[in-house]
Amino acid sequence: MKEQIVRKIIDLAGSLSSNRWRSGDDLLAYFDEPLVGFASVNDPLFLKYKQDIGEFYLTPQELFEEEFGSGALSAGTIISVILPVSEVLLQSNRGQSGFPSREWAQLSAYGGQYAAELRSSVIAYMNQLGHRAIAPVLSLKWKTLQVPSNAHTTNWSERHAAYAAGLGTFSLAGALISKRGIAHRTFSVITDWELEPDKRPYTGLYDYCLYYNSDSCGACVSRCSGGAITARGYNNELCYRHNRSPQYMALRAEYGVEKTGCSLCQTKVPCEKSIPVQKRSDRGLVGD
Ligand code: B12
Ligand code: SF4
Ligand code: SF4
């Protein structure tokens, strides 16, 4: 059954015109075919997230109950979807330093619409098959908040859902590295349909990052033009400010978009589009 669901999500993704944008005479895709993973709503990891991240962090049950009432989710599945950024966009940002390319800014400004449409299509598909489903980030309970340890956090994280569903691990850059790399967008849907969870092909939070698994790399540190990534990890406040600096505001006007993103840390790095492997010549630790 899971294969059928994965096939369906890939087909739905292929049918959406919002994944296309015009560049001169060409019609190009923002994202390649999605990756799909499954986690049980009763996976103890979701309680561990609450313990480690904070009491404010929501479990799948709390989110589902907001929509369908108390006790609505005794069993079920988190379906996590990764949308890998297409090669043409990766290429456009590789040559950039300091600022993203015009093409990348298109992705930041409009790629979210496609992700939202695909998410709605997945929910509609679940409903057609007689199952209830919600998108956590559309719940009335979902919110962004500031806590002492994190200036920009939320009470449901899409990358934690992806981690639980076996789709990837965290990294020095803060982002999730999937088997299609770090350059992606991701969303999740919670359903009361009980499906077999995927096995996580890793045991540690940072298994796919070379900085943690091989004492090497750190390429994202020098790629980051906002000084937000160091050997101590990712500082989301610096990233946030950098993306709203006067230079970036001017860039929004120049490119004619409401946001440009930056994402230099997601291209021209060994983890860009696959799980990175250490090359002998790359040995050596990053400085701080
Ligand atoms: C708020 C937000 C931001 C804020 C702050 C980011 C942040 N907190 O890391 C700002 C505006 C700065 C930002 C920037 C960017 N973002 Co953003 N952002 C989000 C958003 C909406 C929520 C993130 C969040 O609060 N998570 C909750 C907290 C708890 O988790 P976390 O910080 O992600 O996780 C860390 C800690 O929990 C820590 N940790 C500590 N203890 C423990 C214990 C356990 C058990 C675990 C598991 C983890 C853990 O490890 C994690 C990794 O550092 C998500 C969408 C979503 N709803 O999830 C997108 C999202 C994370 N962003 C995304 C992207 C692409 C970006 C940018 C590249 C955009 C850009 N500017 O070009 C940058 C760079 C990010 C980077 N280097 O990681 C993608 C990430 C894709 C990926 N490969 O990981 C997401 C998932 C959006 C999406 N739908 O695809 N973002
Ligand atoms: S560039 Fe290297 S250190 Fe940075 S996240 Fe990717 S693998 Fe880890
Ligand atoms: S999005 Fe830009 S500023 Fe933020 S961490 Fe990545 S490279 Fe640095």
Side-chain angles (χ1 to χ4, degrees):
M1 190 64 217
K2 277 192 335 188
E3 289 71 29
Q4 203 176 312
I5 297 170
V6 173
R7 190 68 255 161
K8 180 69 182 180
I9 293 175
I10 291 172
D11 288 349
L12 288 169
S15 70
L16 293 174
S17 60
S18 48
N19 191 27
R20 311 256 169 252
W21 58 285
R22 187 160 286 287
S23 169
D25 290 340
D26 300 323
L27 207 49
L28 304 170
Y30 291 116
F31 298 103
D32 288 345
E33 202 170 82
L35 303 176
V36 183
F38 301 83
S40 164
V41 298
N42 293 319
D43 190 320
L45 199 50
F46 291 104
L47 284 177
K48 179 156 173 54
Y49 289 165
K50 208 178 186 45
Q51 278 164 11
D52 290 6
I53 295 167
E55 188 50 37
F56 65 86
Y57 199 80
L58 298 171
T59 61
Q61 285 79 4
E62 286 168 323
L63 281 156
F64 216 73
E65 285 176 5
E66 165 70 25
E67 188 78 14
F68 300 110
S70 176
L73 192 67
S74 54
T77 306
I78 317 286
I79 301 181
S80 172
V81 177
I82 299 260
L83 305 170
V85 176
S86 68
E87 175 60 28
V88 68
L89 287 169
L90 296 176
Q91 207 180 0
S92 79
N93 231 27
R94 275 180 209 135
Q96 296 292 123
S97 55
F99 302 103
S101 65
R102 188 179 283 275
E103 293 83 353
W104 197 277
Q106 291 285 318
L107 164 74
S108 299
Y110 305 116
Q113 189 191 329
Y114 160 71
E117 284 180 21
L118 181 56
R119 191 174 58 204
S120 301
S121 306
V122 173
I123 293 174
Y125 170 57
M126 296 288 127
N127 294 161
Q128 273 164 24
L129 295 175
H131 305 284
R132 296 184 293 186
I134 55 156
V137 298
L138 298 183
S139 161
L140 290 175
K141 269 196 168 218
W142 186 76
K143 59 179 181 192
T144 55
L145 64 165
Q146 282 195 324
V147 293
S149 58
N150 195 334
H152 302 274
T153 191
T154 54
N155 53 9
W156 176 265
S157 155
E158 300 294 25
R159 28 192 187 198
H160 288 70
Y163 178 89
L167 287 173
T169 80
F170 295 95
S171 66
L172 182 67
L176 191 95
I177 303 176
S178 74
K179 69 177 182 195
R180 286 291 316 275
I182 201 165
H184 64 252
R185 300 294 179 267
T186 173
F187 69 82
S188 61
V189 163
I190 306 174
T191 172
D192 57 7
W193 191 357
E194 202 177 353
L195 297 157
E196 194 192 331
D198 285 340
K199 288 203 173 58
R200 287 189 278 277
Y202 38 78
T203 50
L205 278 182
Y206 300 101
D207 280 8
Y208 289 171
C209 175
L210 292 176
Y211 185 71
Y212 294 103
N213 68 24
S214 314
D215 281 353
S216 67
C217 194
C220 50
V221 175
S222 38
R223 266 306 265 165
C224 174
S225 55
I229 307 172
T230 66
R232 287 189 300 275
Y234 169 61
N235 179 325
N236 64 30
E237 176 63 12
L238 292 179
C239 174
Y240 179 85
R241 281 199 226 142
H242 182 63
N243 276 252
R244 283 153 189 80
S245 62
Q247 294 93 322
Y248 268 74
M249 290 305 183
L251 196 69
R252 290 181 190 192
E254 185 189 330
Y255 287 167
V257 291
E258 282 183 9
K259 58 177 176 176
T260 62
C262 164
S263 307
L264 295 177
C265 55
Q266 302 208 317
T267 52
K268 210 180 169 189
V269 286
C271 55
E272 180 195 83
K273 56 181 186 177
S274 58
I275 299 167
V277 206
Q278 189 199 23
K279 290 189 212 134
R280 275 187 179 280
S281 56
D282 288 344
R283 280 196 76 85
L285 263 170
V286 60
D288 191 357

